[in-house]
Amino acid sequence: MEQIIKIKQFLDDSGKVKQLPQKQKVRHALLEYLADKFELGRTYSEQEVNGICDLWHTFGDYFLIRRELVDHGLLCREQDGSRYWRAQTAGQETELEHDS
């Protein structure tokens, strides 16, 4: 049975990330949520990736978001950073609701 990881507490009312969780499972689930903002099969410049990351968080560190997406295997890049693309991952099931 798959575990559902709840991430809503880390999002503001518009769905932007307010903070990155410390627990690695929850952090990865939140990064998967952000990876969904990138289209499969499309390549992005570093500037485009920075822009998307900047749109989907509130704490002003799109470099950290980009690095975390790459480090967690959710976003791939050329070695020189000239081109990025979304990795094809199975993903975990995440839920935006709080525990009742």
Side-chain angles (χ1 to χ4, degrees):
M1 187 167 121
E2 281 188 36
Q3 180 183 5
I4 296 174
I5 299 173
K6 299 175 189 286
I7 62 171
K8 186 172 181 165
Q9 65 184 339
F10 300 100
L11 305 175
D12 70 8
D13 292 338
S14 63
K16 293 182 181 183
V17 177
K18 299 185 292 189
Q19 71 181 67
L20 289 176
Q22 292 298 313
K23 290 185 178 180
Q24 287 303 308
K25 278 187 178 183
V26 181
R27 189 181 196 105
H28 190 81
L30 188 67
L31 290 167
E32 285 181 340
Y33 166 79
L34 289 173
D36 284 342
K37 309 306 176 196
F38 295 88
E39 295 176 39
L40 278 171
R42 178 177 170 204
T43 61
Y44 296 87
S45 69
E46 184 175 280
Q47 212 170 26
E48 290 173 310
V49 171
N50 291 346
I52 292 167
C53 290
D54 202 33
L55 280 174
W56 285 99
H57 81 287
T58 63
F59 52 89
D61 194 349
Y62 62 84
F63 299 106
L64 174 64
I65 300 291
R66 186 186 68 219
R67 185 172 50 246
E68 289 280 320
L69 287 167
V70 171
D71 288 351
H72 281 257
L74 300 169
L75 206 59
C76 302
R77 71 179 187 104
E78 294 290 343
Q79 194 168 11
D80 64 2
S82 63
R83 188 171 70 103
Y84 291 78
W85 61 95
R86 183 174 160 198
Q88 294 191 12
T89 60
Q92 299 183 64
E93 191 172 344
T94 60
E95 187 174 289
L96 298 178
E97 298 302 318
H98 292 287
D99 282 323
S100 298

